[in-house]
Amino acid sequence: MTEQLIELNVTGMHCNNCALSVHKLLEKKGLHNILVDFAGEEVKFTKDNEASLPDIIKSIEQLGYKVVEDPALHAPKFYEKVENKFLFCAIFTAPLLLHMISPWHVLHMPIVQLLLCLPVFIVGCVHFGKSAWHSVKGGTPNMDVLIFIGSTSAFVYSLVGTIQNLGEQYQFYETCATIITLVLLGNVFEKRSVNQTTSAVKDLVKIQQVNANRIIDGTIEVISARDVRPGDVLIVNHGDKVPVDGDILEGNASVDESMLTGESIPVEKEKYDKIIGGTIVVQGNFRMIATKTGSNTVLSQIIELMKKAQAAKPPVQKLGDKVASIFVPAVVLISLLTFVLTYFITDKGLQQSLMNAIAVLVISCPCAMGLATPTAVMVGLGRAAKGGILIKGGDTIEAVADTKYVVFDKTGTLTTGKFSIGEIKIEGETPIEQVCGIIVAIEERSNHPIARSLVAELKGKPQNKVILKLVSEEKGLGMRAEDVEGNHYFLGSAKSNNDGLFNLALYKNQVLLAQIAIDDTIKPEATALIAQLKKMNIVPVLLSGDRQSRCTKVAHTIGIDEVHSEKLPDEKLSVIDIYKQKGKTIMIGDGINDAPALTKADVGVSMNDASQIAIQSARVILLNTDLQSVVKFLQISRHTLLTIKQNLFWAFAYNVVAIPVAALGFLNPMVGAFTMAFSDVVVIGNSIRLKSKRIG
């Protein structure tokens, strides 16, 4: 049976512990490739067994979550919103707390306190109880178990006191109500804060939600961008967002591509230029033909990569997850132990023993641990995306920590990738027009920067056209071709022992036709980048397939000391392997020949204008070709990892200190519930700080 990919929209998950519960449930059902994103409200998995989808959905909903068709269209009922639950409970809890300072007799009556507490307790049972029960049943007890046990203990204790008329010392209705109300307040803070951490993806999704002007039989029809199909002709005017990816048929415009590259200067577009969905027409207008729509557009792929990246767990989170999974049973055990020791050994009475035990339950906060990593990762990825840096996985952030080497490809990475022909040296009597025609016909089929530059420069020169029937690209070597007359061509690295002036050679039927000397220019920011890397104690390395003389010249100009030239793709792999054994290694490249090395490195970084294979092989894509993005990426990664460690420290330290304090009776349950909610806010607030924090 073939594997089937299932995608579900699940609402109601508010932290990583919720995601963990769903993940474990799906694992038990024998499902694979499980991805649970609590912030994006998405669950993905593949199934190759007989587990029925309705049964899976029912099991998820039994955990207390809701599976909906479209979260954007799903409007929760009034009483389902956590904000409304909090306000309802607060109305009844306020007079209960008032009795502690007010001499008003009616508020001290047990029956009045019971009636005020009962609605709050019912809301708490529905909100926390259902989730707690199903999480225990599923073998993954969550935070709600602690809240439910704590509030229920206080309510039952008070109810028994009221029925048996045992007096005021048995009235703890305000404790029960306050626990529920304050935890709901914490949930409100969590929900709003998590919404802020996921704003980057949500902003990108909003960009997609535009209309398109489709031309049908000479008339303009306004449709949703979702309904555009490949081949549709669209008109885009001044101020419009481009609805989908395509090519310009006629017209010209200045287009703001900052959404994609982080570069604020508009890009001039004209006939035949590619246009990307989500970019904004600052000036001008044009007609375009849609080439990529729906999930195939660049923007959709970026959104998908962002979602996967946010859900990918850095190794630092594994410790948090491990602790969170055993945390709830451990806290329940500590709470029972607190009750037994306080009641039987210290002889402080039932009331004090119960209050200490309840305080332990409500002071504990695995939610803070669960939120520590994903919130920081989401903010870090969002900040990187807005700066034109697309990181494919949250685990990539930790992989670049303590980077020792950054290995650069030369062409198109440290250099502009825009080449000029210095000289074409003809061997034999072949006319120059014939040579130019062969070069253009072959290089038109390649995506390499050298090929694109050769074609652009030679197209304006006289040439005899050649019709090719077969062209193939060999990694790191060059292009092979065959024309309609059966002649075989090779255009690639020059092998002759010259002074390095000529770096390309053209062969026809294994006979040398011409040698070509080409020069590329170094990117203006390359020298400053290398200097910054050295300041960060990172060793820059040049690794290229180009001639030694050219590589040495570029390396000397920008300040790189370690140079590896004339390397084929498999040789590049060996070089990367050597550096990896010495320390964390990042590889930055852009060509097909770089793809294996990008995959082999600890982290592969690709330029946006790179070949598709290089982009797929890399874990980071620099949408802005400015090399300063490399430093920005390293700085954002370092600060994100620092934020994760700070969050985990505060979450662990909070529990390590708070639980013993509560067990010894120095904290009452109400203060415990408030500080528990506050600890979540501290962790999320620290993550949100990363949005605007100075990282330079």
Side-chain angles (χ1 to χ4, degrees):
M1 188 176 176
T2 55
E3 285 202 340
Q4 181 186 2
L5 176 66
I6 306 291
E7 297 184 23
L8 300 174
N9 297 307
V10 180
T11 63
M13 299 184 290
H14 57 81
C15 77
N16 212 52
N17 293 303
C18 302
L20 205 61
S21 301
V22 176
H23 198 286
K24 287 190 176 179
L25 169 78
L26 298 177
E27 269 183 349
K28 284 181 180 177
K29 290 193 173 288
L31 303 169
H32 309 291
N33 304 317
I34 301 163
L35 190 80
V36 183
D37 175 14
F38 77 87
E41 299 187 325
E42 280 190 327
V43 173
K44 295 182 184 180
F45 54 86
T46 54
K47 70 184 193 82
D48 56 3
N49 56 23
E50 296 302 318
S52 76
L53 190 55
D55 179 54
I56 294 167
I57 291 172
K58 188 180 175 185
S59 299
I60 291 172
E61 291 190 332
Q62 281 179 340
L63 283 176
Y65 312 114
K66 194 162 184 128
V67 179
V68 296
E69 280 196 27
D70 185 352
L73 300 174
H74 172 69
K77 295 183 178 70
F78 180 83
Y79 56 83
E80 287 178 343
K81 291 183 178 177
V82 71
E83 294 92 343
N84 295 335
K85 287 179 182 178
F86 162 69
L87 288 171
F88 176 82
C89 292
I91 290 165
F92 289 95
T93 304
L96 271 173
L97 288 173
L98 198 61
H99 98 276
M100 299 171 74
I101 54 171
S102 168
W104 196 22
H105 175 69
V106 78
L107 289 178
H108 291 259
M109 292 171 64
I111 193 68
V112 172
Q113 290 187 22
L114 171 60
L115 291 172
L116 286 170
C117 179
L118 192 58
V120 181
F121 181 63
I122 291 168
V123 169
C125 282
V126 173
H127 187 80
F128 302 111
K130 189 180 175 187
S131 166
W133 167 246
H134 288 295
S135 73
V136 170
K137 206 166 78 169
T140 55
N142 60 16
M143 175 65 188
D144 294 340
V145 174
L146 305 181
I147 306 305
F148 181 72
I149 294 173
S151 57
T152 304
S153 303
F155 183 79
V156 171
Y157 181 82
S158 304
L159 186 63
V160 170
T162 301
I163 292 167
Q164 295 185 3
N165 200 20
L166 298 175
E168 269 197 13
Q169 67 270 29
Y170 277 81
Q171 305 307 310
F172 285 95
Y173 290 115
E174 76 282 349
T175 301
C176 168
T178 308
I179 289 169
I180 292 166
T181 305
L182 286 175
V183 176
L184 286 171
L185 176 63
N187 287 353
V188 171
F189 286 150
E190 271 176 28
K191 184 182 172 185
R192 291 187 179 179
S193 302
V194 168
N195 283 342
Q196 285 189 53
T197 65
T198 56
S199 60
V201 170
K202 286 176 181 173
D203 289 346
L204 290 175
V205 171
K206 279 179 192 170
I207 290 170
Q208 289 183 308
Q209 296 165 354
V210 295
N211 289 330
N213 300 316
R214 181 167 64 183
I215 302 172
I216 297 180
D217 300 329
T219 61
I220 295 174
E221 176 190 28
V222 179
I223 60 170
S224 168
R226 286 198 298 264
D227 299 325
V228 175
R229 297 290 173 263
D232 285 351
V233 176
L234 312 172
I235 187 161
V236 186
N237 298 314
H238 168 85
D240 288 352
K241 275 184 186 167
V242 179
V244 293
D245 296 2
D247 297 325
I248 295 178
L249 296 173
E250 61 175 295
N252 53 69
S254 298
V255 180
D256 179 0
E257 293 189 337
S258 58
M259 170 277 296
L260 190 72
T261 64
E263 178 56 62
S264 58
I265 300 170
V267 180
E268 298 302 318
K269 298 282 184 178
E270 55 189 28
K271 192 174 180 179
Y272 302 131
D273 281 348
K274 291 193 180 302
I275 201 85
I276 295 166
T279 54
I280 299 168
V281 178
V282 178
Q283 195 171 5
N285 57 69
F286 53 82
R287 287 189 183 207
M288 63 176 281
I289 184 167
T291 55
K292 291 179 183 175
T293 62
S295 61
N296 294 320
T297 64
V298 170
L299 185 57
S300 291
Q301 288 170 358
I302 288 172
I303 290 168
E304 195 56 34
L305 284 171
M306 284 283 288
K307 285 178 179 177
K308 283 182 181 173
Q310 288 182 347
K313 292 178 185 177
V316 75
Q317 189 174 339
K318 288 177 183 172
L319 176 63
D321 280 354
K322 242 178 208 175
V323 172
S325 64
I326 59 165
F327 191 83
V328 175
V331 168
V332 172
L333 198 65
I334 293 167
S335 177
L336 286 171
L337 204 60
T338 300
F339 177 81
V340 170
L341 291 175
T342 311
Y343 186 70
F344 291 104
I345 295 177
T346 62
D347 198 26
K348 286 193 175 176
L350 182 63
Q351 175 192 322
Q352 187 62 46
S353 305
L354 190 64
M355 286 301 105
N356 289 7
I358 292 171
V360 169
L361 290 171
V362 297
I363 196 78
S364 310
C365 189
C367 269
M369 280 183 275
L371 290 164
T373 302
T375 52
V377 167
M378 286 165 202
V379 176
L381 292 173
R383 180 160 181 178
K386 284 180 179 175
I389 303 158
L390 182 60
I391 302 172
K392 287 188 183 178
D395 50 346
T396 303
I397 284 167
E398 190 163 358
V400 300
D402 308 317
T403 297
K404 195 169 180 187
Y405 300 99
V406 174
V407 180
F408 293 93
D409 173 48
K410 178 177 76 69
T411 307
T413 303
L414 290 172
T415 60
T416 60
K418 292 176 183 174
F419 299 83
S420 58
I421 297 171
E423 183 186 347
I424 297 178
K425 182 182 175 186
I426 304 295
E427 305 286 346
E429 298 179 2
T430 308
I432 183 71
E433 294 84 4
Q434 181 76 12
V435 170
C436 288
I438 295 166
I439 293 169
V440 169
I442 293 171
E443 296 290 55
E444 273 182 328
R445 309 284 188 94
S446 174
N447 198 37
H448 195 280
I450 292 179
R452 291 202 295 259
S453 298
L454 283 174
V455 172
E457 190 165 344
L458 291 177
K459 269 200 167 172
K461 294 186 178 180
Q463 52 184 274
N464 296 336
K465 292 202 177 232
V466 177
I467 300 172
L468 303 176
K469 68 175 183 180
L470 190 69
V471 178
S472 62
E473 187 166 357
E474 294 187 8
K475 287 182 183 179
L477 294 173
M479 304 284 290
R480 293 195 184 276
E482 183 184 345
D483 67 18
V484 290
E485 295 172 5
N487 294 305
H488 291 268
Y489 301 93
F490 175 76
L491 177 59
S493 302
K495 300 292 181 189
S496 57
N497 292 321
N498 54 42
D499 60 1
L501 175 65
F502 297 101
N503 44 7
L504 284 180
L506 173 66
Y507 293 84
K508 178 180 179 181
N509 298 324
Q510 299 184 340
V511 175
L512 183 65
L513 279 189
Q515 292 189 83
I516 305 139
I518 55 172
D519 288 308
D520 58 347
T521 53
I522 296 168
K523 287 185 178 178
E525 68 274 13
T527 305
L529 167 67
I530 299 306
Q532 274 183 287
L533 289 176
K534 286 180 175 178
K535 271 187 192 173
M536 295 165 75
N537 295 320
I538 294 171
V539 179
V541 179
L542 180 61
L543 174 61
S544 175
D546 206 350
R547 305 294 291 267
Q548 185 175 351
S549 56
R550 293 177 183 276
C551 290
T552 306
K553 181 183 173 186
V554 169
H556 178 72
T557 304
I558 62 178
I560 293 179
D561 301 320
E562 299 190 25
V563 182
H564 302 269
S565 56
E566 300 181 25
K567 298 295 179 187
L568 296 174
D570 57 330
E571 294 172 323
K572 284 187 175 185
L573 276 180
S574 303
V575 173
I576 292 290
D577 211 25
I578 291 165
Y579 279 107
K580 272 184 76 175
Q581 287 172 23
K582 293 195 276 186
K584 285 268 184 76
T585 302
I586 292 175
M587 167 76 189
I588 304 175
D590 73 328
I592 289 174
N593 61 326
D594 296 319
L598 289 170
T599 308
K600 181 76 173 175
D602 289 302
V603 173
V605 178
S606 167
M607 315 301 280
N608 178 48
D609 54 358
S611 70
Q612 194 60 35
I613 294 174
I615 287 171
Q616 287 168 0
S617 304
R619 287 168 71 179
V620 177
I621 301 163
L622 304 179
L623 300 176
N624 186 343
T625 51
D626 181 351
L627 280 172
Q628 285 303 313
S629 296
V630 175
V631 173
K632 198 187 288 182
F633 158 62
L634 290 169
Q635 289 171 336
I636 288 172
S637 296
R638 284 183 176 183
H639 280 274
T640 303
L641 191 62
L642 177 65
T643 303
I644 291 171
K645 288 178 176 175
Q646 287 170 345
N647 286 352
L648 285 172
F649 168 78
W650 286 114
F652 279 117
Y654 168 82
N655 283 289
V656 166
V657 172
I659 291 174
V661 169
L664 293 168
F666 294 116
L667 276 180
N668 71 45
M670 283 181 287
V671 175
F674 181 77
T675 51
M676 185 216 71
F678 183 70
S679 72
D680 288 356
V681 175
V682 167
V683 165
I684 297 171
N686 190 45
S687 295
I688 291 170
R689 195 169 59 93
L690 187 59
K691 266 188 176 183
S692 53
K693 180 182 178 186
R694 273 196 67 190
I695 58 170

